[in-house]
PDB file of all heavy atoms in Angstrom:
ATOM      1  N   CYS L 280     227.599  87.678 -66.144  1.00  0.00           N
ATOM      2  CA  CYS L 280     227.970  87.537 -67.553  1.00  0.00           C
ATOM      3  C   CYS L 280     229.476  87.325 -67.664  1.00  0.00           C
ATOM      4  O   CYS L 280     230.250  87.912 -66.912  1.00  0.00           O
ATOM      5  CB  CYS L 280     227.594  88.787 -68.335  1.00  0.00           C
ATOM      6  SG  CYS L 280     225.845  89.154 -68.289  1.00  0.00           S
ATOM      7  N   GLU L 281     229.854  86.514 -68.634  1.00  0.00           N
ATOM      8  CA  GLU L 281     231.278  86.313 -68.887  1.00  0.00           C
ATOM      9  C   GLU L 281     231.848  87.633 -69.411  1.00  0.00           C
ATOM     10  O   GLU L 281     231.265  88.246 -70.306  1.00  0.00           O
ATOM     11  CB  GLU L 281     231.449  85.205 -69.923  1.00  0.00           C
ATOM     12  CG  GLU L 281     232.871  84.715 -70.037  1.00  0.00           C
ATOM     13  CD  GLU L 281     233.067  83.794 -71.249  1.00  0.00           C
ATOM     14  OE1 GLU L 281     232.120  83.052 -71.614  1.00  0.00           O
ATOM     15  OE2 GLU L 281     234.156  83.844 -71.823  1.00  0.00           O
ATOM     16  N   MET L 282     232.982  88.065 -68.847  1.00  0.00           N
ATOM     17  CA  MET L 282     233.539  89.361 -69.219  1.00  0.00           C
ATOM     18  C   MET L 282     234.848  89.201 -69.983  1.00  0.00           C
ATOM     19  O   MET L 282     235.562  88.210 -69.826  1.00  0.00           O
ATOM     20  CB  MET L 282     233.774  90.229 -67.971  1.00  0.00           C
ATOM     21  CG  MET L 282     232.558  90.440 -67.079  1.00  0.00           C
ATOM     22  SD  MET L 282     231.131  91.210 -67.866  1.00  0.00           S
ATOM     23  CE  MET L 282     231.607  92.937 -67.854  1.00  0.00           C
ATOM     24  N   ASP L 283     235.147  90.208 -70.792  1.00  0.00           N
ATOM     25  CA  ASP L 283     236.381  90.235 -71.573  1.00  0.00           C
ATOM     26  C   ASP L 283     237.256  91.349 -70.996  1.00  0.00           C
ATOM     27  O   ASP L 283     236.870  92.512 -71.017  1.00  0.00           O
ATOM     28  CB  ASP L 283     236.018  90.519 -73.045  1.00  0.00           C
ATOM     29  CG  ASP L 283     237.246  90.740 -73.925  1.00  0.00           C
ATOM     30  OD1 ASP L 283     238.373  90.783 -73.396  1.00  0.00           O
ATOM     31  OD2 ASP L 283     237.051  90.887 -75.145  1.00  0.00           O
ATOM     32  N   ASN L 284     238.399  90.949 -70.473  1.00  0.00           N
ATOM     33  CA  ASN L 284     239.281  91.927 -69.840  1.00  0.00           C
ATOM     34  C   ASN L 284     240.476  92.303 -70.704  1.00  0.00           C
ATOM     35  O   ASN L 284     241.435  92.884 -70.220  1.00  0.00           O
ATOM     36  CB  ASN L 284     239.777  91.392 -68.499  1.00  0.00           C
ATOM     37  CG  ASN L 284     238.659  91.337 -67.488  1.00  0.00           C
ATOM     38  OD1 ASN L 284     237.951  92.312 -67.281  1.00  0.00           O
ATOM     39  ND2 ASN L 284     238.460  90.183 -66.885  1.00  0.00           N
ATOM     40  N   SER L 285     240.408  91.966 -71.985  1.00  0.00           N
ATOM     41  CA  SER L 285     241.576  92.207 -72.840  1.00  0.00           C
ATOM     42  C   SER L 285     241.811  93.702 -73.059  1.00  0.00           C
ATOM     43  O   SER L 285     242.876  94.116 -73.480  1.00  0.00           O
ATOM     44  CB  SER L 285     241.379  91.523 -74.187  1.00  0.00           C
ATOM     45  OG  SER L 285     240.332  92.161 -74.886  1.00  0.00           O
ATOM     46  N   GLY L 286     240.809  94.502 -72.789  1.00  0.00           N
ATOM     47  CA  GLY L 286     240.960  95.947 -72.939  1.00  0.00           C
ATOM     48  C   GLY L 286     240.654  96.436 -74.337  1.00  0.00           C
ATOM     49  O   GLY L 286     240.683  97.633 -74.602  1.00  0.00           O
ATOM     50  N   LYS L 287     240.297  95.549 -75.245  1.00  0.00           N
ATOM     51  CA  LYS L 287     240.091  96.005 -76.620  1.00  0.00           C
ATOM     52  C   LYS L 287     238.795  96.798 -76.800  1.00  0.00           C
ATOM     53  O   LYS L 287     238.666  97.546 -77.749  1.00  0.00           O
ATOM     54  CB  LYS L 287     240.194  94.847 -77.617  1.00  0.00           C
ATOM     55  CG  LYS L 287     239.134  93.813 -77.462  1.00  0.00           C
ATOM     56  CD  LYS L 287     239.206  92.799 -78.589  1.00  0.00           C
ATOM     57  CE  LYS L 287     238.029  91.865 -78.485  1.00  0.00           C
ATOM     58  NZ  LYS L 287     238.299  90.466 -78.510  1.00  0.00           N
ATOM     59  N   GLY L 288     237.880  96.655 -75.885  1.00  0.00           N
ATOM     60  CA  GLY L 288     236.646  97.447 -75.992  1.00  0.00           C
ATOM     61  C   GLY L 288     236.723  98.725 -75.188  1.00  0.00           C
ATOM     62  O   GLY L 288     235.717  99.390 -74.978  1.00  0.00           O
ATOM     63  N   GLY L 289     237.920  99.066 -74.695  1.00  0.00           N
ATOM     64  CA  GLY L 289     238.066 100.290 -73.913  1.00  0.00           C
ATOM     65  C   GLY L 289     237.981 100.039 -72.417  1.00  0.00           C
ATOM     66  O   GLY L 289     238.008 100.961 -71.618  1.00  0.00           O
ATOM     67  N   GLY L 290     237.893  98.762 -72.019  1.00  0.00           N
ATOM     68  CA  GLY L 290     237.785  98.422 -70.604  1.00  0.00           C
ATOM     69  C   GLY L 290     237.150  97.059 -70.476  1.00  0.00           C
ATOM     70  O   GLY L 290     237.153  96.278 -71.430  1.00  0.00           O
ATOM     71  N   GLN L 291     236.568  96.775 -69.309  1.00  0.00           N
ATOM     72  CA  GLN L 291     235.928  95.482 -69.137  1.00  0.00           C
ATOM     73  C   GLN L 291     234.590  95.472 -69.864  1.00  0.00           C
ATOM     74  O   GLN L 291     233.721  96.298 -69.599  1.00  0.00           O
ATOM     75  CB  GLN L 291     235.728  95.219 -67.643  1.00  0.00           C
ATOM     76  CG  GLN L 291     235.258  93.811 -67.377  1.00  0.00           C
ATOM     77  CD  GLN L 291     235.186  93.513 -65.902  1.00  0.00           C
ATOM     78  OE1 GLN L 291     234.608  94.281 -65.120  1.00  0.00           O
ATOM     79  NE2 GLN L 291     235.770  92.408 -65.489  1.00  0.00           N
ATOM     80  N   ILE L 292     234.464  94.525 -70.787  1.00  0.00           N
ATOM     81  CA  ILE L 292     233.217  94.442 -71.563  1.00  0.00           C
ATOM     82  C   ILE L 292     232.669  93.017 -71.500  1.00  0.00           C
ATOM     83  O   ILE L 292     233.422  92.077 -71.280  1.00  0.00           O
ATOM     84  CB  ILE L 292     233.423  94.862 -73.044  1.00  0.00           C
ATOM     85  CG1 ILE L 292     234.565  94.070 -73.698  1.00  0.00           C
ATOM     86  CG2 ILE L 292     233.678  96.355 -73.173  1.00  0.00           C
ATOM     87  CD1 ILE L 292     234.673  94.235 -75.194  1.00  0.00           C
ATOM     88  N   PRO L 293     231.360  92.874 -71.699  1.00  0.00           N
ATOM     89  CA  PRO L 293     230.810  91.519 -71.701  1.00  0.00           C
ATOM     90  C   PRO L 293     231.163  90.811 -73.005  1.00  0.00           C
ATOM     91  O   PRO L 293     231.355  91.465 -74.041  1.00  0.00           O
ATOM     92  CB  PRO L 293     229.302  91.771 -71.614  1.00  0.00           C
ATOM     93  CG  PRO L 293     229.117  93.101 -72.267  1.00  0.00           C
ATOM     94  CD  PRO L 293     230.334  93.896 -71.916  1.00  0.00           C
ATOM     95  N   VAL L 294     231.262  89.489 -72.929  1.00  0.00           N
ATOM     96  CA  VAL L 294     231.438  88.711 -74.155  1.00  0.00           C
ATOM     97  C   VAL L 294     230.049  88.594 -74.783  1.00  0.00           C
ATOM     98  O   VAL L 294     229.119  88.116 -74.130  1.00  0.00           O
ATOM     99  CB  VAL L 294     232.008  87.312 -73.824  1.00  0.00           C
ATOM    100  CG1 VAL L 294     232.081  86.450 -75.075  1.00  0.00           C
ATOM    101  CG2 VAL L 294     233.377  87.445 -73.169  1.00  0.00           C
ATOM    102  N   VAL L 295     229.896  89.096 -76.000  1.00  0.00           N
ATOM    103  CA  VAL L 295     228.573  89.076 -76.646  1.00  0.00           C
ATOM    104  C   VAL L 295     228.667  88.557 -78.081  1.00  0.00           C
ATOM    105  O   VAL L 295     229.742  88.581 -78.680  1.00  0.00           O
ATOM    106  CB  VAL L 295     227.934  90.499 -76.707  1.00  0.00           C
ATOM    107  CG1 VAL L 295     227.554  90.987 -75.330  1.00  0.00           C
ATOM    108  CG2 VAL L 295     228.859  91.498 -77.394  1.00  0.00           C
ATOM    109  N   ASP L 296     227.525  88.107 -78.602  1.00  0.00           N
ATOM    110  CA  ASP L 296     227.488  87.753 -80.020  1.00  0.00           C
ATOM    111  C   ASP L 296     227.058  88.990 -80.823  1.00  0.00           C
ATOM    112  O   ASP L 296     226.927  90.078 -80.260  1.00  0.00           O
ATOM    113  CB  ASP L 296     226.572  86.547 -80.258  1.00  0.00           C
ATOM    114  CG  ASP L 296     225.088  86.861 -80.032  1.00  0.00           C
ATOM    115  OD1 ASP L 296     224.757  88.052 -79.807  1.00  0.00           O
ATOM    116  OD2 ASP L 296     224.274  85.926 -80.088  1.00  0.00           O
ATOM    117  N   ALA L 297     226.849  88.818 -82.112  1.00  0.00           N
ATOM    118  CA  ALA L 297     226.548  89.962 -82.980  1.00  0.00           C
ATOM    119  C   ALA L 297     225.296  90.717 -82.534  1.00  0.00           C
ATOM    120  O   ALA L 297     225.162  91.915 -82.779  1.00  0.00           O
ATOM    121  CB  ALA L 297     226.398  89.499 -84.418  1.00  0.00           C
ATOM    122  N   ALA L 298     224.388  90.011 -81.839  1.00  0.00           N
ATOM    123  CA  ALA L 298     223.142  90.660 -81.413  1.00  0.00           C
ATOM    124  C   ALA L 298     223.227  91.216 -80.003  1.00  0.00           C
ATOM    125  O   ALA L 298     222.257  91.753 -79.486  1.00  0.00           O
ATOM    126  CB  ALA L 298     221.987  89.665 -81.507  1.00  0.00           C
ATOM    127  N   GLY L 299     224.386  91.037 -79.367  1.00  0.00           N
ATOM    128  CA  GLY L 299     224.532  91.557 -78.017  1.00  0.00           C
ATOM    129  C   GLY L 299     224.147  90.571 -76.928  1.00  0.00           C
ATOM    130  O   GLY L 299     224.119  90.917 -75.754  1.00  0.00           O
ATOM    131  N   GLN L 300     223.840  89.318 -77.305  1.00  0.00           N
ATOM    132  CA  GLN L 300     223.498  88.298 -76.302  1.00  0.00           C
ATOM    133  C   GLN L 300     224.747  87.972 -75.480  1.00  0.00           C
ATOM    134  O   GLN L 300     225.797  87.655 -76.034  1.00  0.00           O
ATOM    135  CB  GLN L 300     222.973  87.037 -77.011  1.00  0.00           C
ATOM    136  CG  GLN L 300     222.879  85.798 -76.148  1.00  0.00           C
ATOM    137  CD  GLN L 300     221.748  85.850 -75.120  1.00  0.00           C
ATOM    138  OE1 GLN L 300     220.578  85.903 -75.485  1.00  0.00           O
ATOM    139  NE2 GLN L 300     222.090  85.846 -73.836  1.00  0.00           N
ATOM    140  N   THR L 301     224.631  88.078 -74.161  1.00  0.00           N
ATOM    141  CA  THR L 301     225.769  87.759 -73.288  1.00  0.00           C
ATOM    142  C   THR L 301     225.765  86.261 -72.982  1.00  0.00           C
ATOM    143  O   THR L 301     224.935  85.522 -73.512  1.00  0.00           O
ATOM    144  CB  THR L 301     225.670  88.522 -71.955  1.00  0.00           C
ATOM    145  OG1 THR L 301     224.534  88.030 -71.235  1.00  0.00           O
ATOM    146  CG2 THR L 301     225.526  90.021 -72.183  1.00  0.00           C
ATOM    147  N   SER L 302     226.662  85.840 -72.109  1.00  0.00           N
ATOM    148  CA  SER L 302     226.726  84.415 -71.756  1.00  0.00           C
ATOM    149  C   SER L 302     225.536  84.000 -70.885  1.00  0.00           C
ATOM    150  O   SER L 302     225.287  82.825 -70.702  1.00  0.00           O
ATOM    151  CB  SER L 302     228.037  84.125 -71.032  1.00  0.00           C
ATOM    152  OG  SER L 302     228.064  84.849 -69.820  1.00  0.00           O
ATOM    153  N   VAL L 303     224.811  84.958 -70.340  1.00  0.00           N
ATOM    154  CA  VAL L 303     223.634  84.631 -69.525  1.00  0.00           C
ATOM    155  C   VAL L 303     222.385  84.744 -70.406  1.00  0.00           C
ATOM    156  O   VAL L 303     222.107  85.816 -70.947  1.00  0.00           O
ATOM    157  CB  VAL L 303     223.503  85.587 -68.311  1.00  0.00           C
ATOM    158  CG1 VAL L 303     222.258  85.267 -67.499  1.00  0.00           C
ATOM    159  CG2 VAL L 303     224.752  85.523 -67.441  1.00  0.00           C
ATOM    160  N   PRO L 304     221.653  83.636 -70.581  1.00  0.00           N
ATOM    161  CA  PRO L 304     220.477  83.698 -71.465  1.00  0.00           C
ATOM    162  C   PRO L 304     219.514  84.806 -71.036  1.00  0.00           C
ATOM    163  O   PRO L 304     219.239  84.967 -69.846  1.00  0.00           O
ATOM    164  CB  PRO L 304     219.825  82.323 -71.288  1.00  0.00           C
ATOM    165  CG  PRO L 304     220.927  81.445 -70.791  1.00  0.00           C
ATOM    166  CD  PRO L 304     221.856  82.310 -70.000  1.00  0.00           C
ATOM    167  N   GLY L 305     219.069  85.582 -72.018  1.00  0.00           N
ATOM    168  CA  GLY L 305     218.097  86.634 -71.722  1.00  0.00           C
ATOM    169  C   GLY L 305     218.718  87.960 -71.344  1.00  0.00           C
ATOM    170  O   GLY L 305     218.017  88.954 -71.241  1.00  0.00           O
ATOM    171  N   ILE L 306     220.016  87.994 -71.121  1.00  0.00           N
ATOM    172  CA  ILE L 306     220.660  89.277 -70.818  1.00  0.00           C
ATOM    173  C   ILE L 306     221.503  89.704 -72.011  1.00  0.00           C
ATOM    174  O   ILE L 306     222.360  88.957 -72.489  1.00  0.00           O
ATOM    175  CB  ILE L 306     221.508  89.225 -69.530  1.00  0.00           C
ATOM    176  CG1 ILE L 306     220.601  88.886 -68.343  1.00  0.00           C
ATOM    177  CG2 ILE L 306     222.212  90.568 -69.297  1.00  0.00           C
ATOM    178  CD1 ILE L 306     221.290  88.915 -66.993  1.00  0.00           C
ATOM    179  N   PHE L 307     221.197  90.886 -72.502  1.00  0.00           N
ATOM    180  CA  PHE L 307     221.863  91.431 -73.680  1.00  0.00           C
ATOM    181  C   PHE L 307     222.597  92.716 -73.317  1.00  0.00           C
ATOM    182  O   PHE L 307     222.292  93.353 -72.306  1.00  0.00           O
ATOM    183  CB  PHE L 307     220.835  91.748 -74.782  1.00  0.00           C
ATOM    184  CG  PHE L 307     220.172  90.536 -75.378  1.00  0.00           C
ATOM    185  CD1 PHE L 307     219.209  89.833 -74.656  1.00  0.00           C
ATOM    186  CD2 PHE L 307     220.506  90.098 -76.651  1.00  0.00           C
ATOM    187  CE1 PHE L 307     218.592  88.710 -75.196  1.00  0.00           C
ATOM    188  CE2 PHE L 307     219.898  88.982 -77.208  1.00  0.00           C
ATOM    189  CZ  PHE L 307     218.938  88.281 -76.479  1.00  0.00           C
TER     190      PHE L 307
END
Side-chain angles (χ1 to χ4, degrees):
Chain L
C280 300
E281 192 190 327
M282 305 301 281
D283 173 354
N284 290 309
S285 68
K287 65 173 186 231
Q291 189 175 50
I292 54 170
V294 175
V295 291
D296 69 6
Q300 167 72 64
T301 67
S302 63
V303 178
I306 299 185
F307 292 74

